[in-house]
Amino acid sequence: MNEKILIKNATIVNEGKSFTADVLLADGRIAKIGTIATESNYKVIDGKGKHLFPGIIDGQVHFRDPGLTHKGDLYTESKAAIAGGTTSFIDMPNTVPNILTVESLKEKYEIASKKSLANYSFFLGVNGDNIDAVIAMDTSKFIGVSDDGLYFTKKGNLLADSPEKMEKLFSNCKSIIAIHSEKEEIVEKNEEAFREKYGDAIPAKFHPMIRSTEGCYQATKRAIEIAKKHDARLHILHLTTAAETHLFRNDIPLQEKKITTEVSVHHLWFSDKDYERLGMRIKWNPAIKTEQDKAGLLKALLDDRIDLITTDHAPHTLEEKEQPYFQSMSGAPMVQHSLNCMLEFYKQGLISLEKIIEKMCHNPAILYGMVSRGFIREGYYADLTLVDLNSTWTVTKENLLYKCGWSPLEGTLFQTEIKQTFVNGNLVFDAGHWNEEKKGLAIDFNSEDTIH
Ligand SMILES: NC(=O)N[C@@H](CC(=O)O)C(=O)O
């Protein structure tokens, strides 16, 4: 049995409200919220002056396990996530092997059960190799299918570039189809134009012109048209342009939406102004775009056209990053600081705490149909994070937990600090101290027979 933990007097932010109360954690769950008297067998945590949030649920990460574990693995990256207040994640299929079969999916769950400190779930990958097999499966058993990260090979491009295959998938798939939305034909055309001019030495600042607004907009528009035609459940991953935000609705509740989208923290945080300073370190796919795009994405987040905030945490070694344009890997680590970044926007008066929690905790749980997670409610899993909104510190190499050992945020001064993180009622992260005895759990979904 887990020990009972009593968090006293914290300001709880949950379901659109902020209020001060005590929270009792017992047997992995939130046992009670209210005014709670201390008993001798409770471990008491003083929450006075601090904010208690539901643990962040990150709907898109690349923890690189199995097969790419020189970049990161399910232990190191889940630990970094927890230090940043994230208690659950959904990982993408572009590991080695790619997760294209039920067998490899089950193996990944097996590895996570031994290594992950946070709660976990995994997309089934879909590409040109397995589309017919996926269609033949009972897709309602998967939390979602995704092509993310698989588009780097020709066979992975089917969702953005093969309308026939896309139609086939969309008319047959019963789960969420989460796609990386860039039209590769446009990207390739732009690559050629820049290659002619600069050879291999294309400066990073041209990345948003190669992976251009047009490439994103056309792919997203087409995916939405096909999804509508087949009444499919489409989720567009990591939106990057203001133009695309207008393709999404905000006049119906999330529960009723068939077409949803998300923004990743780095696309809210960085803009094309930062390429000069950070170069290939902020080369992501889709690319970081302009200041106007950054402002448009925040606006769409606030007016509910964008449903979720994710990180697309995608670690690569610095050596893999700091290469000439075509060799430099796209992606960078973010999961340790996603909440800190969003809280800086709160400090600047750009977003409320309640909105941050809606987009990082409640909505991922609703969108993916997670059971008993994402909210501070009695009976729910005690996935929580206690945050000091008045503590200043700087990101340095020394305080990073990523296996890759670097971050594009090095040198950033944050004015908020994650003090404690609880996963399934266990105090796993306690002001720099770790309790790694208990591993995270496979996330349960509303579809009872979900494969995991
Ligand atoms: N976002 C990235 O730039 N890279 C991701 C793949 C992806 O999400 O497209 C990766 O796996 O490295």
Side-chain angles (χ1 to χ4, degrees), residues 60 62 64 68 71 92 94 147-152 180 182 207 237-238 266-267 283-286 312-316 321 329-332:
Q60 195 202 157
H62 301 262
R64 308 299 193 201
L68 296 168
K71 299 174 195 272
M92 285 295 165
N94 60 330
D147 69 337
D148 193 58
L150 306 176
Y151 60 91
F152 287 113
H180 180 111
E182 287 188 282
H207 191 50
L237 298 162
H238 42 40
H266 47 281
H267 294 119
K283 178 177 182 253
W284 260 283
N285 296 346
D312 185 17
H313 174 76
H316 297 286
K321 290 292 291 177
M329 300 259 183
S330 292

Side-chain angles (χ1 to χ4, degrees), residues 204 270 274-282 322 407-409:
F270 297 110
D274 296 303
Y275 285 110
E276 215 62 69
R277 183 170 60 93
L278 290 162
M280 299 300 174
R281 290 188 183 209
I282 57 162
E322 298 195 322
S407 161
L409 294 167

Side-chain angles (χ1 to χ4, degrees), residues 91-271:
D91 187 74
M92 285 295 165
N94 60 330
T95 45
V96 176
N98 288 164
I99 304 304
L100 299 174
T101 62
V102 173
E103 291 69 41
S104 59
L105 185 69
K106 285 188 171 169
E107 256 166 54
K108 206 165 170 184
Y109 273 104
E110 188 63 31
I111 300 169
S113 71
K114 299 196 181 90
K115 290 170 84 171
S116 180
L117 297 178
N119 304 311
Y120 46 87
S121 186
F122 302 102
F123 281 98
L124 177 74
V126 61
N127 73 1
D129 283 330
N130 75 336
I131 187 158
D132 291 320
V134 168
I135 288 166
M137 290 178 201
D138 178 359
T139 43
S140 66
K141 290 190 173 174
F142 302 100
I143 162 199
V145 301
S146 180
D147 69 337
D148 193 58
L150 306 176
Y151 60 91
F152 287 113
T153 65
K154 271 274 171 256
K155 287 196 167 163
N157 284 343
L158 76 110
L159 293 180
D161 282 317
S162 168
E164 309 77 48
K165 291 210 167 167
M166 202 148 139
E167 296 246 2
K168 209 165 153 191
L169 180 70
F170 281 35
S171 61
N172 284 285
C173 186
K174 292 190 197 70
S175 77
I176 293 173
I177 305 165
I179 77 161
H180 180 111
S181 184
E182 287 188 282
K183 196 161 162 51
E184 285 298 321
E185 277 161 61
I186 295 180
V187 173
E188 279 167 23
K189 196 181 87 211
N190 294 337
E191 277 179 353
E192 279 323 303
F194 276 88
R195 199 199 295 267
E196 258 175 42
K197 199 152 174 218
Y198 294 95
D200 239 14
I202 300 174
K205 68 176 176 193
F206 293 127
H207 191 50
M209 289 158 216
I210 292 173
R211 291 198 166 259
S212 64
T213 295
E214 197 200 352
C216 295
Y217 186 83
Q218 286 203 17
T220 299
K221 189 163 166 284
R222 183 164 63 175
I224 291 174
E225 279 163 10
I226 301 177
K228 277 189 181 157
K229 182 171 158 196
H230 297 288
D231 201 26
R233 180 63 189 86
L234 170 67
H235 181 71
I236 302 280
L237 298 162
H238 42 40
L239 215 64
T240 55
T241 68
E244 287 166 287
T245 63
H246 302 293
L247 298 170
F248 297 87
R249 294 175 63 170
N250 64 353
D251 57 341
I252 47 170
L254 176 58
Q255 284 85 345
E256 288 167 31
K257 286 187 185 179
K258 294 219 84 171
I259 296 167
T260 53
T261 192
E262 64 182 42
V263 62
S264 293
V265 175
H266 47 281
H267 294 119
L268 294 170
W269 187 262
F270 297 110
S271 76

Side-chain angles (χ1 to χ4, degrees), residues 376-442:
I376 302 182
R377 289 180 183 162
E378 291 179 4
Y380 272 49
Y381 285 101
D383 293 341
L384 300 161
T385 188
L386 194 60
V387 181
D388 187 343
L389 295 186
N390 294 298
S391 174
T392 302
W393 64 286
T394 302
V395 180
T396 62
K397 268 203 190 321
E398 291 66 43
N399 53 39
L400 293 174
L401 294 169
Y402 306 134
K403 198 184 236 183
C404 67
W406 71 278
S407 161
L409 294 167
E410 279 166 51
T412 304
L413 184 83
F414 283 127
Q415 303 173 77
T416 65
E417 192 174 359
I418 284 75
K419 290 291 184 188
Q420 273 98 8
T421 305
F422 307 83
V423 184
N424 306 314
N426 303 306
L427 178 53
V428 177
F429 175 72
D430 186 6
H433 300 283
W434 290 89
N435 170 8
E436 301 184 12
E437 214 178 293
K438 299 259 170 51
K439 300 291 177 266
L441 299 172

